[in-house]
Amino acid sequence: MEKRKYNKTLRAEKEDETRLKIVEAAMKLHGEVGPARTTISAIADRAGVQRLTVYRHFPEENELLDACSSHWRSLNPPPDPASWRESVAEGDWGLAILSMLYHYYGETAYMWDHCYRDRENVAALHEQMKGFDAYLDMLSADALASLPAERRKGKMCQAVARHAVQFSTWQSLSQAGVENSEMAALMDDWLHKCPLS
């Protein structure tokens, strides 16, 4: 009886190891070529398993994308709102948020670049990224909270706040050679000086 239980435990551990190998292989390929260009064959080769093994663990392609995204997010969590809500004066939230977010984009740009490029071509990816859209909306609202009440309600200020948190904004300024701290200060300054309309 003990031997059978031991064998079942070993088998389950081996299955978990194989599953993790597949997820990590997919995650690396997504970062290198993007989700749309990642094939099951390439994942199997990278993981050192057969294609049928990948399908056995992930019968639906969406399941593998979900597992891969979840694993990547656990290794690369975006800035935690507690980082500014609990230790930064509200008037400085905008600068704190943008500084942390731009540093995060700098560390994870390889993945976001591919995900935004492939988003419209991979339906499951588009659905997953809605969660990150909501996160950015929350950052935008917190950045606006650092402004005086009359400015925070302005259409222009709201547009600037939404623009400031986008990966494409960071990417454009980064490619122009602007440092993360400089772009955070630039965007925060724009937020505080945009027209009240």
Side-chain angles (χ1 to χ4, degrees):
M1 200 67 168
E2 283 299 315
K3 189 173 182 182
R4 188 177 300 160
K5 183 178 179 184
Y6 178 68
N7 286 341
K8 282 184 180 178
T9 302
L10 279 180
R11 193 178 311 120
E13 286 175 2
K14 190 162 177 54
E15 288 292 304
D16 288 346
E17 285 174 17
T18 301
R19 181 183 174 87
L20 182 59
K21 275 187 191 176
I22 293 167
V23 169
E24 289 184 337
M27 183 180 75
K28 286 175 184 170
L29 285 163
H30 289 174
E32 292 167 15
V33 300
R37 297 176 188 172
T38 295
T39 65
I40 296 298
S41 293
I43 292 168
D45 287 346
R46 180 70 64 97
V49 300
Q50 300 295 318
R51 288 176 73 240
L52 286 176
T53 304
V54 177
Y55 287 121
R56 184 165 50 80
H57 281 274
F58 300 99
E60 300 292 331
E61 197 170 341
N62 293 355
E63 294 174 19
L64 179 54
L65 184 62
D66 288 345
C68 177
S69 298
S70 178
H71 186 57
W72 186 83
R73 284 192 308 270
S74 73
L75 298 173
N76 302 278
D80 183 348
S83 301
W84 57 87
R85 290 177 182 171
E86 295 175 6
S87 58
V88 177
E90 194 173 86
D92 297 326
W93 279 12
L95 184 60
I97 290 165
L98 295 173
S99 296
M100 291 180 208
L101 181 64
Y102 293 160
H103 175 76
Y104 173 72
Y105 280 152
E107 296 288 315
T108 58
Y110 68 97
M111 188 65 81
W112 290 114
D113 184 44
H114 292 310
C115 286
Y116 277 106
R117 182 199 68 201
D118 292 351
R119 180 176 188 168
E120 297 307 317
N121 299 319
V122 181
L125 177 63
H126 181 76
E127 285 304 308
Q128 280 190 356
M129 289 184 70
K130 286 181 179 178
F132 193 66
D133 293 341
Y135 170 77
L136 294 181
D137 287 344
M138 180 270 295
L139 294 190
S140 175
D142 274 10
L144 285 167
S146 68
L147 302 177
E150 71 277 3
R151 183 169 292 281
R152 148 182 355 145
K153 295 175 183 173
K155 182 175 67 175
M156 286 289 285
C157 289
Q158 290 179 8
V160 168
R162 281 193 300 274
H163 178 69
V165 299
Q166 299 303 315
F167 174 73
S168 56
T169 300
W170 173 86
Q171 189 175 46
S172 175
L173 291 170
S174 181
Q175 287 171 352
V178 182
E179 297 293 326
N180 289 338
S181 58
E182 294 173 324
M183 67 177 83
L186 175 69
M187 287 294 169
D188 185 58
D189 189 55
W190 190 10
L191 265 176
H192 283 83
K193 292 180 178 174
C194 59
L196 295 172
S197 61

